[in-house]
């Protein structure tokens, strides 16, 4: 499957190199139904299948929006679960720095629309995927993109029991603190509260590991986190501490999938 995917990616890049919609139109006519079936039924193949899909779409916001809408139609408008998981993969392929700033907003607004939809789902895996998507939008747009989500994030931090949701909340929180304005004290206080709700000595081992790894990058600018950070660090197994201390600068602390 990997070899075939690489071959199709090469074809897609060639067909989309002119910047027009021709490659996407051809893909939609001849291959989108097959890819939709793969991403629905085989999560392990989903990332590669979506990479193939996006290789046929030039990196222009209006064409990416059109592609996502075509994918939604192919999956079925009622399949929000698969669509959110797909978008969580696709957003990591995007490179907003290559977009016209006046046009990029439409695409990022579309991602935020599905963040809202995903956070309202009963499935914890969809909520977690939506948080991963939100982290990436904030990383590219700044903390202002998170303003409308502060209350939902606070609610998740106190009500959601799924460890991966808690871990992704810490990634989102880190990204907000990295991209936020230092003068936005109210937002910083709210985000610190979210962190303290999920990051503590009794948290699961996985949540502790994610929090220690990601939050280390903001301790200098948000010293009020130092106390809880040290408490969690000291509550961990020595082997886990040793592993995390060895990560150093190898961690991508701007947000992402856990």
């Amino acid at each position: 499957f990997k070899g075939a995917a690489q071959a199709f990616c090469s074809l897609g890049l060639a067909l989309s190199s002119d910047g027009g919609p021709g490659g996407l139109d051809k893909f939609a006519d001849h291959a989108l139904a097959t890819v939709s079936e793969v991403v629905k039924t085989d999560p392990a193949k989903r990332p590669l299948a979506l990479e193939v899909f996006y290789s046929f779409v030039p990196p222009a916001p209006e064409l990416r929006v059109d592609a996502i809408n075509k994918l939604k139609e192919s999956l079925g408008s009622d399949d929000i679960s698969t669509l959110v998981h797909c978008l969580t993969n696709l957003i990591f392929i995007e490179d907003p720095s290559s977009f016209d700033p006046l046009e990029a907003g439409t695409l990022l607004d579309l991602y935020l629309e599905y963040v809202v939809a995903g956070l309202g789902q009963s499935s914890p895996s969809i909520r977690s995927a939506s948080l991963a998507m939100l982290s990436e939008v904030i990383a590219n747009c700044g903390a202002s993109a998170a303003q409308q989500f502060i209350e939902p994030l606070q609610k998740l931090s106190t009500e959601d029991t799924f460890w991966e949701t808690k871990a992704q909340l810490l990634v989102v929180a880190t990204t907000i603190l990295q991209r936020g304005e230092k003068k936005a004290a109210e937002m910083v206080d709210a985000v610190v509260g979210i962190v303290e709700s999920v990051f503590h000595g009794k948290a699961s081992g996985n949540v502790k590991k994610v929090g220690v790894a990601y939050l280390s990058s903001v301790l200098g600018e948000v010293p009020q986190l130092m106390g809880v950070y040290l408490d969690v660090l000291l509550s961990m197994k020595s082997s886990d501490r040793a592993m995390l201390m060895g990560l150093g600068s190898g961690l991508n602390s701007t947000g992402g999938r856990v």
Side-chain angles (χ1 to χ4, degrees):
F1 183 78
K2 183 177 180 180
Q6 290 173 338
F8 274 105
C9 281
S10 297
L11 175 62
L13 291 172
L15 289 174
S16 63
S17 61
D18 64 354
L24 173 60
D25 291 341
K26 288 182 174 63
F27 190 88
D29 290 340
H30 302 289
L32 184 54
T34 300
V35 165
S36 297
E37 187 63 24
V38 170
V39 300
K40 276 185 175 184
T41 60
D42 196 337
K45 293 180 179 178
R46 186 180 292 150
L48 270 179
L50 292 169
E51 188 175 340
V52 169
F53 170 53
Y54 246 24
S55 71
F56 284 81
V57 189
E62 71 277 9
L63 292 177
R64 293 289 170 87
V65 169
D66 187 29
I68 290 170
N69 287 330
K70 281 181 165 59
L71 177 62
K72 176 184 177 181
E73 182 180 352
S74 181
L75 290 172
S77 58
D78 59 336
D79 193 355
I80 185 67
S81 173
T82 302
L83 183 60
V84 168
H85 283 298
C86 287
L87 292 178
T88 304
N89 282 273
L90 291 176
I91 197 168
F92 286 93
I93 301 175
E94 305 286 8
D95 179 15
S97 65
S98 68
F99 297 156
D100 182 331
L102 296 177
E103 298 177 354
T106 303
L107 176 60
L108 294 172
D109 284 346
L110 182 62
Y111 278 110
L112 287 176
E113 177 184 331
Y114 287 107
V115 169
V116 173
L119 291 179
Q121 298 297 304
S122 60
S123 166
S125 67
I126 300 177
R127 295 195 298 273
S128 176
S130 299
L131 290 172
M133 204 185 327
L134 178 59
S135 292
E136 191 66 8
V137 174
I138 296 168
N140 287 292
C141 297
S144 59
Q147 187 63 57
Q148 64 177 304
F149 294 98
I150 292 298
E151 288 189 13
L153 294 177
Q154 289 172 323
K155 184 177 181 180
L156 280 177
S157 72
T158 59
E159 297 181 2
D160 201 304
T161 59
F162 187 48
W163 80 263
E164 193 169 351
T165 302
K166 293 176 181 291
Q168 288 290 358
L169 279 169
L170 294 173
V171 177
V172 172
T174 301
T175 310
I176 294 173
L177 294 171
Q178 288 174 330
R179 300 285 284 125
E181 295 293 332
K182 293 181 176 63
K183 294 181 181 179
E186 186 176 343
M187 178 178 283
V188 170
D189 289 344
V191 174
V192 168
I194 290 168
V195 170
E196 291 175 342
S197 292
V198 299
F199 186 61
H200 46 74
K202 294 182 179 180
S204 76
N206 288 331
V207 172
K208 289 179 181 180
K209 291 174 187 177
V210 172
V212 167
Y214 278 85
L215 291 169
S216 63
S217 65
V218 296
L219 292 177
E221 293 188 357
V222 192
Q224 54 265 54
L225 286 174
M226 186 63 76
V228 68
Y229 187 90
L230 290 176
D231 287 344
V232 171
L233 192 61
L234 292 173
S235 73
M236 298 176 71
K237 297 177 181 178
S238 58
S239 57
D240 288 341
R241 278 200 304 274
M243 178 195 71
L244 288 166
M245 294 301 98
L247 285 176
S249 61
L251 179 72
N252 173 14
S253 60
T254 59
R257 290 167 287 186
V258 175

